[in-house]
Amino acid sequence: MSDVMLHATSQDPDSFAVQIADSIESFIVATTEVAKGDEPDSAVPFMLLEISQLLLTGGRLGAHEDIVPDERYEPDTGPDLDVDDLRERFAVLLDPVDIFSEVFDPYEPRKAPVACRISDNLADVVTDLRHGLAHYKAGRVSEALWWWQFSYFSNWGPTASATLRALQSLVAHVRLDQPLDELDGLDTDEDLAEEVLAEEAGKVMAEELAGPLGMRTAT
């Protein structure tokens, strides 16, 4: 991508940079709204949609050639905004399906799954995206694109992908009338064996989510 395209975003709403920034800002706004808890019954399906759309943006960044920032060292954007409130709100909204198990690198052999929290993941993704957005709004477009691309590979991409799989699994359990097994003490600070994590997916029965997702309770 030429420097002309990177810096002509205000004149061209169809440019790559503008589309990426708009998608990322839209995700941040939507996620913040869901976290308010005004419509708790729709939190899971809504975030499934939002993360799916965000990962399309990530795929565009991932497929793009390496983006090189204008400056050798990253300019200071100031302190990152606090996401503890966002994290805590999602933890309440998603209880008791917040915790799930995930394998970070599917190409690393015999790597046991670890316990994760959807609420933690969403907060981490928003933190990464906001950091790049601070560069973008300060006029450092190439720096923003570089950061979003780099952190897509190193953090927010894998984190969002793991969260999407967890949310998709929740919706699938409901749509397929497959109750989840009981969560028996699984937490993110525990080091459990793979076979234990495989059995302890979460304590939610299909009928608990059927109503919020607009599905009939299995008869």
Side-chain angles (χ1 to χ4, degrees):
M1 178 181 297
S2 66
D3 287 341
V4 174
M5 177 176 284
L6 287 174
H7 295 288
T9 58
S10 60
Q11 290 78 25
D12 184 6
D14 295 325
S15 74
F16 179 80
V18 170
Q19 291 176 356
I20 295 296
D22 284 350
S23 175
I24 285 173
E25 187 164 23
S26 175
F27 175 82
I28 294 172
V29 170
T31 302
T32 303
E33 286 299 311
V34 174
K36 291 179 180 179
D38 294 336
E39 298 183 29
D41 291 347
S42 63
V44 169
F46 195 84
M47 289 313 304
L48 177 69
L49 176 61
E50 289 298 321
I51 295 176
S52 296
Q53 293 174 332
L54 176 66
L55 285 171
L56 174 59
T57 298
R60 295 184 66 191
L61 287 164
H64 198 280
E65 64 187 10
D66 288 348
I67 298 169
V68 180
D70 294 333
E71 302 181 35
R72 182 177 180 182
Y73 299 103
E74 182 185 4
D76 185 14
T77 61
D80 290 330
L81 295 177
D82 183 35
V83 294
D84 284 346
D85 182 64
L86 183 81
R87 188 191 320 271
E88 292 167 2
R89 286 177 178 271
F90 271 114
V92 172
L93 276 174
L94 298 172
D95 182 64
V97 296
D98 193 23
I99 299 177
F100 67 100
S101 62
E102 171 64 12
V103 176
F104 286 110
D105 189 347
Y107 285 99
E108 187 173 348
R110 295 177 298 279
K111 187 68 175 180
V114 297
C116 304
R117 289 182 181 272
I118 296 175
S119 55
D120 288 343
N121 285 6
L122 290 173
D124 289 347
V125 169
V126 168
T127 297
D128 274 351
L129 298 181
R130 278 179 175 172
H131 186 84
L133 195 61
H135 284 306
Y136 185 83
K137 290 186 174 181
R140 297 185 291 268
V141 179
S142 62
E143 190 74 42
L145 290 174
W146 169 83
W147 170 260
W148 284 326
Q149 186 185 60
F150 166 76
S151 57
Y152 167 74
F153 289 123
S154 63
N155 188 50
W156 74 259
T159 301
S161 296
T163 306
L164 179 67
R165 288 193 294 274
L167 294 173
Q168 191 274 340
S169 179
L170 285 173
V171 175
H173 274 283
V174 173
R175 298 296 172 92
L176 299 176
D177 294 324
Q178 296 176 344
L180 295 174
D181 295 332
E182 183 176 351
L183 175 65
D184 187 17
L186 176 64
D187 206 344
T188 53
D189 59 356
E190 295 184 19
D191 183 15
L192 300 181
E194 180 175 357
E195 59 272 15
V196 176
L197 285 171
E199 296 175 358
E200 297 175 342
K203 186 181 179 181
V204 174
M205 304 302 287
E207 55 267 26
E208 294 181 17
L209 290 176
L213 292 179
M215 300 297 294
R216 291 184 300 108
T217 303
T219 57

